[in-house]
Amino acid sequence: MKYIYNMKGRVNHIKMLTMASLTLCLMASCSNDEDDEDLGNWIDQSVFDGSPRSGSAYFTIGNIGYSGVGYDGDDYLTSFWSYDMDGDYWSQKADFPGTARNAAVGFSINDKGYIGSGYDGLDELADFYSYDPASNTWTEIAAFPSTPRRSAVAFGINGYGYFGTGFDGDNDRKDFWKYDPNTDTWHELVGFGGDKRRAAITFTIGDYVYMGTGVSNGIYLDDFWAFDSATESWTQKLDLDEEDDYSIVRSNAVGFTLNDYGYIATGTYGGTLQSIWEYDPSTDTWESKTSFERTSRQDAVVFSNNAKAFIGLGRTGSLYLDDLEQFFPYDEYDDED
Amino acid sequence: MKRILLAYILIAVVFGFLFLSFSNYKIGATESKLPLHSEIFKVSDGYGYQIELESRVLIKQEYIPILKGKRPFKTAEDAERTANKVISKLLKKESPILTISELKELQIPEFNLY
């Protein structure tokens, strides 16, 4: 794969990768007993992504996705980019002001974005920064008061930020914290009944945030949780291996929301994965969708605003990928695009 | 017998050579021939640029990258030098990230302080 990557021009490279992953898709469908073809289609959206990197933090505000920091295989990065979902173009924005890092979290609260925690190559980190798109400026906010960590999860809802789980350098964590941007303070939240973990995902549907996947001590977690933002309480949902044909458990995946369905895509389970699963909150059930049309990846980024979703910028082994694809969950699969 | 052996060796050498030159040719072809070009545009108090692949905009930079705030390039030449640098990186299949030292090298005056 690496050989092909080196010797081909980018356009050919993309075709080769698509062909290779199509082959994988075909192989995967042969091994399935299902007769019905999965719905969902991916459209190649950007010739390049802004930078091939992995472990970048990301958030979406309106129709603009933001992605920054990360690791390019040699260096930890501070550069920060925006992606205009409507115009399909990137801009390099104000550099992230903290230490270069990867495995940081990104989330948005109202019209501001936040990036914090992570790993700088030596230490886990606890500092957090807010980004104001209106002025293209960063401001350091109150540092996370508990154990510094990487590969945590974070989400913003109802005007607050929530941050939890992750790896502190010695142990995986299961604590959750709330950030109040009005007072610039952190408070621990109680009531999460799940296990400690790192590299989990969340997605938000209406007033609920769903959290699951991740790994701890080599064990992939199969529990799945809903966080009610109104009451700040957690409810356990059906396990991610509830049905025999589910293959949802994984780590380093991405979670996103589109048309009020939740999605878990890419990630790793033994090897890196291409598969994507759709969650229907009304029935608490999962359905497999067309796999990501590229080489499988972990530590990808996703931009989604419930109306559109774009996924890209992960890695496969040491090969850093640099493309972005838009996902159309209800289009028939078309291998021509 | 000797002649047949010689013929085999010859064929092997020729094919080996062909294979090598073929793969060398491909491996050596790292310069991408993507039809990339830039466009400089005027904003209210300065200039910005966009990088296009044929007619498709890949990067639109209304403000100087890296710097906080919304500061356009003071001159069209500054914008153009920066745009050309991004294109050269993309053609070399490098990441289009611009760094402070690159912008200093391009003599973008806003980076003199760094």
Side-chain angles (χ1 to χ4, degrees):
Chain A
M1 236 22 222
K2 197 157 194 183
Y3 179 69
I4 292 168
Y5 179 76
N6 285 337
M7 75 182 192
K8 294 282 177 184
R10 175 165 301 277
V11 176
N12 281 340
H13 153 63
I14 286 168
K15 277 184 189 152
M16 288 300 289
L17 289 183
T18 310
M19 274 160 61
S21 47
L22 282 176
T23 316
L24 288 172
C25 294
L26 287 171
M27 281 160 63
S29 59
C30 286
S31 64
N32 270 341
D33 291 331
E34 288 173 359
D35 293 323
D36 51 333
E37 202 171 303
D38 294 341
L39 276 179
N41 196 19
W42 295 93
I43 305 282
D44 173 23
Q45 202 63 25
S46 268
V47 172
F48 80 104
D49 71 337
S51 67
R53 58 175 74 190
S54 84
S56 296
Y58 53 88
F59 52 83
T60 305
I61 299 174
N63 61 351
I64 313 274
Y66 295 88
S67 169
V69 304
Y71 180 65
D72 69 5
D74 295 317
D75 297 305
Y76 291 87
L77 306 169
T78 55
S79 76
F80 181 67
W81 292 76
S82 69
Y83 175 72
D84 186 310
M85 296 188 200
D86 297 332
D88 181 28
Y89 60 79
W90 292 84
S91 303
Q92 187 172 358
K93 298 295 193 184
D95 262 22
F96 177 74
T99 325
R101 67 191 68 198
N102 75 342
V105 296
F107 58 98
S108 60
I109 307 174
N110 300 326
D111 293 334
K112 291 214 172 87
Y114 296 82
I115 290 180
S117 72
Y119 180 67
D120 65 7
L122 290 171
D123 295 307
E124 282 70 27
L125 305 165
D127 51 341
F128 272 78
Y129 302 81
S130 75
Y131 176 75
D132 182 354
S135 61
N136 186 34
T137 51
W138 288 95
T139 310
E140 185 165 10
I141 63 166
F144 178 61
S146 182
T147 338
R149 61 191 72 186
R150 61 170 128 148
S151 304
V153 293
F155 51 87
I157 191 165
N158 267 357
Y160 297 104
Y162 297 88
F163 172 72
T165 72
F167 176 63
D168 68 14
D170 295 314
N171 295 297
D172 294 315
R173 313 286 308 187
K174 61 177 178 180
D175 50 336
F176 263 92
W177 293 70
K178 176 182 183 180
Y179 175 72
D180 182 347
N182 300 311
T183 57
D184 190 24
T185 51
W186 294 89
H187 296 286
E188 187 166 8
L189 278 183
V190 292
F192 175 61
D195 284 326
K196 61 186 183 175
R197 71 193 68 206
R198 71 180 84 164
I201 62 95
T202 69
F203 53 76
T204 302
I205 306 175
D207 296 330
Y208 290 86
V209 179
Y210 295 85
M211 202 281 298
T213 71
V215 64
S216 187
N217 295 321
I219 307 294
Y220 291 92
L221 294 139
D222 59 14
D223 53 341
F224 189 61
W225 296 81
F227 177 76
D228 180 345
S229 62
T231 60
E232 295 186 328
S233 59
W234 293 92
T235 311
Q236 188 161 10
K237 311 302 280 184
L238 291 176
D239 281 352
L240 297 178
D241 56 1
E242 179 71 16
E243 300 289 335
D244 289 342
D245 62 350
Y246 283 2
S247 55
I248 308 167
V249 292
R250 61 191 63 195
S251 71
N252 301 77
V254 293
F256 59 95
T257 312
L258 201 53
N259 305 321
D260 296 323
Y261 287 93
Y263 295 87
I264 291 178
T266 70
T268 179
Y269 180 76
T272 47
L273 299 171
Q274 292 176 293
S275 59
I276 174 162
W277 288 83
E278 177 185 84
Y279 180 70
D280 183 344
S282 64
T283 55
D284 196 10
T285 56
W286 294 87
E287 194 183 320
S288 173
K289 307 299 282 189
T290 300
S291 290
F292 195 59
E293 284 180 12
R294 289 293 156 82
T295 55
S296 47
R297 58 186 73 201
Q298 64 183 77
D299 293 330
V301 310
V302 65
F303 304 135
S304 75
N305 61 4
N306 200 23
K308 289 181 174 182
F310 300 84
I311 188 168
L313 332 177
R315 66 160 190 239
T316 304
S318 60
L319 171 62
Y320 286 80
L321 298 173
D322 58 356
D323 43 53
L324 193 69
E325 291 197 55
Q326 183 170 8
F327 181 55
F328 296 97
Y330 298 104
D331 289 3
E332 292 284 343
Y333 178 66
D334 178 359
D335 62 9
E336 293 295 313
D337 55 43
Chain B
M1 194 63 201
K2 222 174 181 181
R3 196 174 290 172
I4 293 171
L5 196 67
L6 203 69
Y8 270 117
I9 289 171
L10 199 69
I11 288 166
V13 166
V14 165
F15 269 86
F17 180 74
L18 278 177
F19 175 76
L20 274 181
S21 58
F22 180 70
S23 29
N24 274 345
Y25 167 71
K26 292 240 161 165
I27 289 166
T30 49
E31 276 284 304
S32 156
K33 290 185 182 69
L34 290 177
L36 287 164
H37 60 99
S38 66
E39 206 163 283
I40 310 302
F41 55 83
K42 181 101 181 70
V43 291
S44 59
D45 44 355
Y47 297 87
Y49 63 81
Q50 55 192 39
I51 310 293
E52 295 170 19
L53 176 69
E54 288 169 338
S55 61
R56 178 171 161 199
V57 178
L58 301 178
I59 300 178
K60 185 172 180 181
Q61 205 71 43
E62 290 171 274
Y63 312 107
I64 301 174
I66 300 172
L67 293 184
K68 67 176 180 186
K70 297 188 164 178
R71 300 170 64 179
F73 290 93
K74 285 219 177 66
T75 68
E77 290 72 30
D78 287 351
E80 190 161 13
R81 282 202 305 283
T82 310
N84 289 341
K85 177 72 182 174
V86 174
I87 288 177
S88 77
K89 293 183 88 157
L90 285 171
L91 291 177
K92 281 187 271 180
K93 291 189 201 159
E94 292 173 11
S95 147
I97 296 178
L98 290 167
T99 63
I100 290 172
S101 58
E102 284 166 344
L103 287 160
K104 263 186 92 154
E105 223 168 85
L106 291 169
Q107 299 182 333
I108 306 303
E110 285 77 4
F111 288 84
N112 284 342
L113 294 171
Y114 287 92

